[in-house]
Amino acid sequence: METNLVRVLEGQYLDELTSELCDFTLEEQNAATEAQGVKPLASSDYIPIVGKTVTYVVACVIVNDHGEVLMMQEAKESCAGKWYLPAGRMEPGETIVEAGVREVLEETGLKVEITTLLAVETAGGSWFRFVLTGNVIGGELKTPSQADQESIQAKWCQNLNELSLRANDILPVVELARNYRKRQPKDPNWHREILPARKAHYKNYLRVVVAIKNKSTNAVYVLLSEKTAYHFPTVEIHPGRSLHSTLKKFMIELFGADLPQHRPHGVLSVEHHTSGTQANPTDGLCLTVLVICRPSIESVSLIGKCIWHELSKDLSARLAVAVAGKNATFQLHVVR
């Protein structure tokens, strides 16, 4: 399991059958809801299908050496003339990175190489936006004479306050990308360049790395589920709830009503790859999220089939770096 922890800390996929290791499926969540006399918000046989039952959006924040941000002017009737980041919905059969490259080219005329994921944003459990950054490797900046249905034009901008923006929701991620660009090499407060890991999933899953300390010995532990084989606890993402709601209900399944104070620190890895067919799509994903428990391990009890695993000193130190650095994991922004 320590090898698996190293892999997720490096943004790599885990070579396991997530569907068989899922500890709290949508069917089980719905059964728990019905037991309380409440009608479930989603069908137990929900399957994420791009363009039909799930929406994946990419937003690319490309920053040049002068700190200028690549912006595009909208052509859509609903927001024509407004400015925004090159962004848009993923299309069936695309990977997250492929969608980002396509959107930047269509809307700005520039070819880019995506270098890393910066943040994951969610609204409900069936809308996800992946914030990416990278470098320009070719192309020509789109001018008004090249306007089409994708955009009117594109330009580099230093001060976004000078533009009439389609929405201000991009301001925090622009600041994030600028700070990432300015970071020092191997700065422990920042994650490395990590792209979504190419692994196909049939459903959408949330894998949690729950970390806790023994404050008397300073030892660090992570939670492992014992279902069929040891693994990091995993829950199917509920399409009708916020990610925070799915996480909280799952934590109650693991710890009981006396839930210890905890907080999601950030995203360690994203697994996604479309390799299915129209008849059998694999448009799902798996987000691995680092969750920090505040109390000492002695005061926390478990009710699920889980155990605490004490980490080696080297891995404890590595995980401590991820916890200490605000940007050592990808930002997770949950819109309720």
Side-chain angles (χ1 to χ4, degrees), residues 16 20 33 48 53 57 65 90 93 184 317:
E16 59 187 26
E20 294 185 2
T33 298
T53 62
V57 177
D65 292 337
M90 284 174 54
Q184 295 298 316

Side-chain angles (χ1 to χ4, degrees), residues 60-64 66-72 84-86 154-160 163 170 173-175 177-178:
C60 298
V61 197
I62 310 299
V63 182
N64 65 19
H66 306 292
E68 298 171 320
V69 181
L70 182 61
M71 300 291 291
M72 52 79 70
Y84 206 65
L85 293 172
K155 71 176 181 178
W156 294 99
C157 183
Q158 183 71 243
N159 184 4
L160 269 59
L163 301 178
I170 63 172
V173 295
V174 167
E175 181 181 7
R178 280 175 164 161

Side-chain angles (χ1 to χ4, degrees), residues 262-319:
H262 64 281
R263 63 180 175 86
H265 183 73
V267 178
L268 292 171
S269 68
V270 176
E271 298 176 3
H272 172 268
H273 183 54
T274 299
S275 62
T277 63
Q278 286 186 338
N280 188 30
T282 54
D283 289 345
L285 55 77
C286 182
L287 303 179
T288 303
V289 174
L290 176 61
V291 176
I292 308 302
C293 280
R294 296 186 185 278
S296 184
I297 192 172
E298 306 96 311
S299 61
V300 175
S301 60
L302 300 169
I303 65 168
K305 293 183 179 180
C306 295
I307 63 168
W308 290 111
H309 171 75
E310 183 177 355
L311 297 179
S312 65
K313 289 186 177 180
D314 287 346
L315 197 49
S316 292
R318 186 167 178 179
L319 188 60

Side-chain angles (χ1 to χ4, degrees), residues 188-330:
N189 293 310
W190 282 95
H191 58 80
R192 298 180 301 107
E193 292 185 344
I194 297 176
L195 296 172
R198 294 168 69 98
K199 180 181 178 180
H201 291 277
Y202 185 58
K203 299 288 193 79
N204 282 346
Y205 298 103
L206 178 65
R207 180 191 293 133
V208 291
V209 175
V210 183
I212 196 168
K213 290 183 73 173
N214 182 324
K215 294 182 179 177
S216 62
T217 65
N218 229 28
V220 178
Y221 297 75
V222 292
L223 191 66
L224 299 181
S225 171
E226 296 183 286
K227 180 180 179 180
T228 64
Y230 284 120
H231 64 279
F232 297 117
T234 304
V235 58
E236 187 176 344
I237 296 174
H238 196 296
R241 298 186 182 131
S242 75
L243 207 66
H244 281 163
S245 177
T246 292
L247 175 61
K248 183 175 181 180
K249 290 181 182 297
F250 185 41
M251 293 289 282
I252 292 173
E253 284 291 311
L254 300 173
F255 293 94
D258 190 18
L259 189 61
Q261 188 177 8
H262 64 281
R263 63 180 175 86
H265 183 73
V267 178
L268 292 171
S269 68
V270 176
E271 298 176 3
H272 172 268
H273 183 54
T274 299
S275 62
T277 63
Q278 286 186 338
N280 188 30
T282 54
D283 289 345
L285 55 77
C286 182
L287 303 179
T288 303
V289 174
L290 176 61
V291 176
I292 308 302
C293 280
R294 296 186 185 278
S296 184
I297 192 172
E298 306 96 311
S299 61
V300 175
S301 60
L302 300 169
I303 65 168
K305 293 183 179 180
C306 295
I307 63 168
W308 290 111
H309 171 75
E310 183 177 355
L311 297 179
S312 65
K313 289 186 177 180
D314 287 346
L315 197 49
S316 292
R318 186 167 178 179
L319 188 60
V321 170
V323 173
K326 177 184 176 183
N327 294 298
T329 57
F330 305 128

